[in-house]
Amino acid sequence: MKILFFGWDGVPLGVAREAVETGYTPNLGDLVGMGGMDGLLAEPPIVTPANWYAALTGYRPTRHGLINFVVIDTDYSLRYMSIKDLRVEGVWERLGRHGHRGLYMNIPISTPAPRVEGVWIGQEQEFVGPSRPRPENIYPAEILETLNRLGYRIGYPFYSGRPEDYYRRVMEVEEERLRAMYELMRRGDYTLHLYIAMTPDILLHMFMDDPDYMEYVYKCLARLDTWLGRYMDHLGEEAGYIIMSDHGHRRKDKLIDLLTILADLGYLQLRRTRRIRATWLRRNRLVRRIWRILPQSIKRRLNVGINRVLILESPAREMQTMVDWERTEIFPLVNVGGLKANLRGIFRKGFVDASEHEKLVNEAVERLRNLEVDGVKLFKQVISNPNPEPDIPDILLEPDERLWFASRGTGKKLFKPSQPSLSKVNDLRAIRIAPSFHIREGFYAFGGRGFRKGLGGKLSIMDIAPLILYLADTPIPEDIDGRLPTDHIDKQLLRDRKPKYTSGKTRLRERLISTRRKLQRRSMGNR
């Protein structure tokens, strides 16, 4: 059985339904008629890598390990995450072991490319681009010549220029890849055809519900729908189709300053430093190109020195020098709602003993759950997850849908940044903080072979991996966090083919990765 997995990053259920009802996405509408559409619920932290990998592994982010694009490392520098941080098996490994070839394209932070049965074309660990793919982005190596001939580029353009010009540039890059996906589909024989389009999320951050520019989001979805139609024509009625997003979007009223909140609760100590603002460095094209080719080890050393003297307008970088680490108990590990205890023996200036770890986390969770500012309860969910691993949050936060996170040390728990409206700017770089950020509810649309007509009901994003495995007649690991959505599957197929489960080696793999990282940290500490 052939399967198409087409990711539309960041699209909320309401926008997907509106696109179908207003005729922007007729092919998606046909697919919904064959099956159905409803809400798909992300897992905290509500950010792109955490939830695409939740969908493609079936495990919650605190188990699969890829919780964000960047985290605060044990020396308090920024560390870019990559697929090497994945602690569990993805569907590509499970399918490959059972003889299924796959075409895997444009998965976030999926470099270096793993050796798969089929083809892997990854994204970089960080948003620098677009540029031609390099050998570490792809597998097998011989596909590089084909990609260059097709004009394939890695990365997305930074926000710059007039909104309409930026839309044209970012869609040009996306369509180069969608075209390459189509050509590779036609040339190979694959069970799973997987592509994740990031452009909807990129546009929604700026244009969500904007009276002048929301139209560009729907135009983007219309272009994705055109390619969906081509893929459906190629794969035919005997294929199963999964179209989905990793989370939704909403314009935010205010931002939650996590540094100020943690300082007010007594868990974090701030210090003021005098530094030079040099935001132009992050936006300079030549600087970005040079940065891209530097080895990761040199980047880490430069980050520490740069952040002592310059403000580069990255909240995570600003946080590094604003926090008095030697007197801090809890800090934002990621700027999307993950908090971490500053553990002795793990972090360089650790302040919390391992014996006090769980007690401290549970106490902080109770205080954060009841936190209100100006009559507004800040968090919908506060999840306790004490974990000794340095890159796994101890506390997960889901904010009220009207709010999002910032780590600025403003002295205000909630603040609204002042900035010009989109209609009054000639360059998107003038918008310092995007108007829209993530919410938990995205969407799914299923149809084609294997799916029941008229399906519906909200699902967890972790339910997608067992669904893919079942459709490909591949065993599902028993310890997976997601559940096979049998109500969405054709009843005759379920009678003919019972789901198969296997006792996976996930826990063993997690322990092996944990031990390896401890040895690496010990080795770094002895240098």
Side-chain angles (χ1 to χ4, degrees), residues 8 17 190-191 220 234 247 258 339 373 397 458 467 480:
W8 293 10
R17 281 182 170 155
Y190 306 104
T191 298
C220 167
H234 174 70
H247 53 72
L258 289 175
L339 306 180
V373 176
L397 307 172
K458 297 188 192 310
L467 176 61
I480 206 167

Side-chain angles (χ1 to χ4, degrees), residues 58 67 140 148 159 164 191 219 253 266 268 300 339 399 449:
I67 60 165
N148 286 331
Y159 293 115
E164 52 270 30
T191 298
K219 286 181 178 179
D253 297 338
L268 180 144
R300 287 162 65 93
L339 306 180
R449 186 181 173 195

Side-chain angles (χ1 to χ4, degrees), residues 5 31 38 56 61 68 77 108 124 151 178-179 231 278 309 313 336 374 380 392 458 469 471 496:
F5 179 108
L31 191 67
D38 212 323
L56 296 177
N68 195 20
S77 65
E124 290 281 6
L178 293 164
R179 190 175 298 109
Y231 301 155
V309 295
E313 214 179 55
V336 289
D374 299 331
K380 293 178 70 174
I392 301 298
K458 297 188 192 310
L469 295 174
L471 294 176
D496 294 342

Side-chain angles (χ1 to χ4, degrees), residues 158-444:
F158 283 84
Y159 293 115
S160 64
R162 293 186 61 81
E164 52 270 30
D165 295 332
Y166 180 74
Y167 166 78
R168 176 184 52 78
R169 286 187 287 117
V170 75
M171 280 307 304
E172 182 180 278
V173 172
E174 195 77 82
E175 294 215 61
E176 289 171 357
R177 299 177 193 169
L178 293 164
R179 190 175 298 109
M181 170 81 167
Y182 184 59
E183 291 301 321
L184 293 172
M185 286 173 67
R186 294 168 62 192
R187 299 178 190 186
D189 183 22
Y190 306 104
T191 298
L192 178 60
H193 309 76
L194 187 153
Y195 183 92
I196 296 176
M198 303 289 290
T199 298
D201 181 67
I202 292 170
L203 296 177
L204 283 160
H205 274 295
M206 284 291 177
F207 301 158
M208 179 71 185
D209 288 340
D210 186 280
D212 297 311
Y213 294 107
M214 184 63 187
E215 180 75 9
Y216 288 111
V217 174
Y218 288 110
K219 286 181 178 179
C220 167
L221 299 186
R223 294 304 305 155
L224 298 184
D225 187 77
T226 298
W227 286 103
L228 171 61
R230 293 175 185 174
Y231 301 155
M232 292 171 69
D233 288 343
H234 174 70
L235 295 174
E237 296 179 357
E238 291 302 303
Y241 297 94
I242 299 172
I243 318 300
M244 58 165 283
S245 63
D246 55 330
H247 53 72
H249 258 272
R250 189 189 190 281
R251 290 180 75 88
K252 304 300 180 179
D253 297 338
K254 291 184 178 181
L255 299 178
I256 302 169
D257 191 330
L258 289 175
L259 292 187
T260 297
I261 284 173
L262 291 173
D264 187 69
L265 293 174
Y267 295 121
L268 180 144
Q269 298 296 320
L270 289 170
R271 63 184 178 194
R272 298 297 178 182
T273 59
R274 294 185 177 273
R275 293 178 296 146
I276 302 169
R277 187 169 290 278
T279 59
W280 62 272
L281 275 172
R282 293 184 67 235
R283 298 166 179 167
N284 184 276
R285 188 171 298 176
L286 176 61
V287 171
R288 293 204 307 265
R289 286 178 178 172
I290 294 171
W291 187 260
R292 186 174 186 271
I293 64 175
L294 291 176
Q296 199 70 21
S297 58
I298 294 177
K299 289 182 184 179
R300 287 162 65 93
R301 294 191 194 103
L302 285 174
N303 266 334
V304 174
I306 287 170
N307 292 319
R308 287 174 180 163
V309 295
L310 299 178
I311 296 175
L312 299 180
E313 214 179 55
S314 164
R317 285 191 172 94
E318 287 193 46
M319 185 179 75
Q320 289 173 263
T321 53
M322 291 176 65
V323 174
D324 183 347
W325 298 106
E326 294 179 336
R327 298 191 297 147
T328 287
E329 292 180 307
I330 297 174
F331 63 93
L333 178 66
V334 294
N335 200 36
V336 289
L339 306 180
K340 189 68 187 174
N342 190 20
L343 291 169
R344 285 198 181 103
I346 302 294
F347 292 95
R348 191 176 67 187
K349 298 179 180 179
F351 189 73
V352 178
D353 287 326
S355 61
E356 297 294 316
H357 183 199
E358 186 170 349
K359 178 182 176 182
L360 174 69
V361 168
N362 291 334
E363 174 201 284
V365 164
E366 289 305 313
R367 296 179 72 185
L368 289 165
R369 277 179 181 157
N370 300 315
L371 192 61
E372 292 188 7
V373 176
D374 299 331
V376 176
K377 190 173 182 180
L378 299 188
F379 305 115
K380 293 178 70 174
Q381 278 195 97
V382 181
I383 302 169
S384 176
N385 180 62
N387 193 304
E389 292 298 314
D391 49 7
I392 301 298
D394 291 321
I395 300 171
L396 295 162
L397 307 172
E398 181 190 354
D400 181 286
E401 288 194 352
R402 297 166 293 176
L403 309 174
W404 192 245
F405 301 107
S407 295
R408 298 296 177 91
T410 59
K412 298 179 180 179
K413 296 176 184 177
L414 282 179
F415 71 99
K416 185 174 181 65
S418 67
Q419 54 191 8
S421 65
L422 281 174
S423 60
K424 296 180 180 179
V425 302
N426 291 317
D427 193 328
L428 284 173
R429 287 176 291 188
I431 307 296
R432 296 178 58 187
I433 299 176
S436 178
F437 282 98
H438 305 164
I439 59 172
R440 192 177 183 198
E441 186 174 72
F443 86 99
Y444 70 84

